[in-house]
Amino acid sequence: MNAKRTDFLATVIIDLIVAAVVGILIFLLAYILISGLPHVTWNFLTGTTDAFSGAGGIGVQLFNSFYLLVLTMLISIPISLGAGIYLAEYAKDNWRTSLIRSAIEVLSSLPSVVVGLFGFLLFVVKFKIGFSVISGAIALTFFNLPLLTRNIEESLSAVSRNQREAGLSLGLSKWKTEIGIILPVALPGIVTGIVLSAGRVFGEAAALIYTAGQSAPVTNFADWNPMDAASPLNPFRPAETLAVHIWKVNTEGLATNAAQLSAAASAVLIIAVLLFNLGARLLGNFLYRRVTASK
């Protein structure tokens, strides 16, 4: 077999593999959306769920998902940013740095259910915080830190060394160069990673079953005092998220239309994750054009 024929055959095989992967993805997305979207209504998106049967809307679960996401990102972004800057700019190439990177890789490979059990034993049982939004947010922070840290480190490392030398040649300190020059150039990649990790956190269920709980108490959306028990902003209340709700309806739901409720909630979750991914691409491209002054 000559080189041209071998190259053609390899190209065809690669194209078929790519087409198969894309086809499977399109089939899954189409199946979920076609099954669920006909059952999605405004009342379903804003209504409350019956605590016993699981019937009703997903308004509280949808709010819980976004609220827990915001708290998780507020905790994890500053920590990941500091860790990423340290590893990319200040860490020396020695055994300590290798140990830190190995620890990050090990943490990123942990199953989410293990992270959830760790959060349950530490925050729910040991610290007696109970099933709550804050317990879930801290558990998801452990789940999210490795991905964000690696993303920030790689985004900073991708910036040309000439940028650093230019800042230092102007008399700027290393920290000023990092904050004023390197970080803005790396911002598109960092923001893209943050939005993608937000989509991953939004769809997480296993870790939250053991930390945020499987109940969604009735909340008073007219009360925005975080200290009130009925306030939706209370971080110490149980908070069943949309992903946990889907699992619960499928396994424990007693409603006669449990299959339709699960399909509709799954469609909403898929759309939210797709929007996160699309938003990450658009925002990253926009920031890149702004930073590089390119059209």
Side-chain angles (χ1 to χ4, degrees):
M1 186 179 291
N2 59 37
K4 288 186 178 180
R5 185 169 295 179
T6 302
D7 179 72
F8 174 76
L9 182 61
T11 303
V12 170
I13 292 174
I14 292 173
D15 289 342
L16 289 175
I17 293 173
V18 172
V21 172
V22 173
I24 293 172
L25 177 62
I26 292 175
F27 171 76
L28 289 175
L29 291 177
Y31 178 79
I32 294 172
L33 294 177
I34 292 173
S35 301
L37 283 180
H39 306 289
V40 177
T41 63
W42 180 251
N43 288 333
F44 177 75
L45 292 174
T46 59
T48 57
T49 304
D50 181 75
F52 178 72
S53 65
I58 58 171
V60 176
Q61 287 82 359
L62 200 56
F63 175 84
N64 290 341
S65 297
F66 282 107
Y67 183 41
L68 202 145
L69 171 64
V70 170
L71 286 183
T72 302
M73 302 311 286
L74 285 176
I75 299 171
S76 59
I77 288 176
I79 300 174
S80 300
L81 187 61
I85 291 175
Y86 171 77
L87 290 172
E89 304 295 334
Y90 293 94
K92 297 179 180 179
D93 189 11
N94 53 31
W95 67 271
R96 293 186 184 87
T97 304
S98 298
L99 182 62
I100 293 173
R101 288 199 171 95
S102 298
I104 291 173
E105 291 174 0
V106 170
L107 188 59
S108 66
S109 65
L110 286 177
S112 57
V113 67
V114 174
V115 177
L117 286 171
F118 168 77
F120 171 75
L121 293 174
L122 185 62
F123 305 118
V124 177
V125 177
K126 182 68 175 178
F127 293 160
K128 301 186 185 304
I129 299 177
F131 294 108
S132 61
V133 176
I134 193 66
S135 296
I138 297 174
L140 287 182
T141 297
F142 287 107
F143 180 73
N144 202 32
L145 277 177
L147 176 66
L148 271 181
T149 301
R150 290 299 297 271
N151 169 257
I152 293 172
E153 180 189 357
E154 291 173 2
S155 297
L156 293 173
S157 299
V159 178
S160 172
R161 185 173 180 81
N162 294 334
Q163 300 274 12
R164 296 171 173 82
E165 293 175 350
L168 296 174
S169 67
L170 292 173
L172 298 176
S173 65
K174 189 172 183 179
W175 176 248
K176 284 287 187 181
T177 302
E178 182 67 30
I179 298 300
I181 298 177
I182 306 304
L183 200 58
V185 175
L187 190 61
I190 293 174
V191 171
T192 300
I194 289 174
V195 178
L196 289 175
S197 68
R200 185 185 181 204
V201 167
F202 190 84
E204 179 56 38
L208 297 177
I209 292 174
Y210 299 101
T211 52
Q214 304 176 42
S215 62
V218 177
T219 54
N220 180 13
F221 284 94
D223 182 5
W224 296 100
N225 183 359
M227 296 297 104
D228 290 346
S231 172
L233 296 182
N234 185 350
F236 298 102
R237 64 178 177 84
E240 180 187 63
T241 62
L242 185 57
V244 175
H245 177 69
I246 294 170
W247 172 83
K248 187 176 179 180
V249 169
N250 273 311
T251 57
E252 303 176 6
L254 299 178
T256 55
N257 60 341
Q260 290 81 3
L261 292 173
S262 175
S266 299
V268 173
L269 182 61
I270 285 291
I271 290 172
V273 173
L274 288 176
L275 289 176
F276 276 118
N277 284 268
L278 179 62
R281 182 175 293 274
L282 295 176
L283 187 57
N285 291 337
F286 171 76
L287 290 174
Y288 177 79
R289 290 194 299 269
R290 290 294 299 270
V291 171
T292 60
S294 60
K295 294 183 180 180

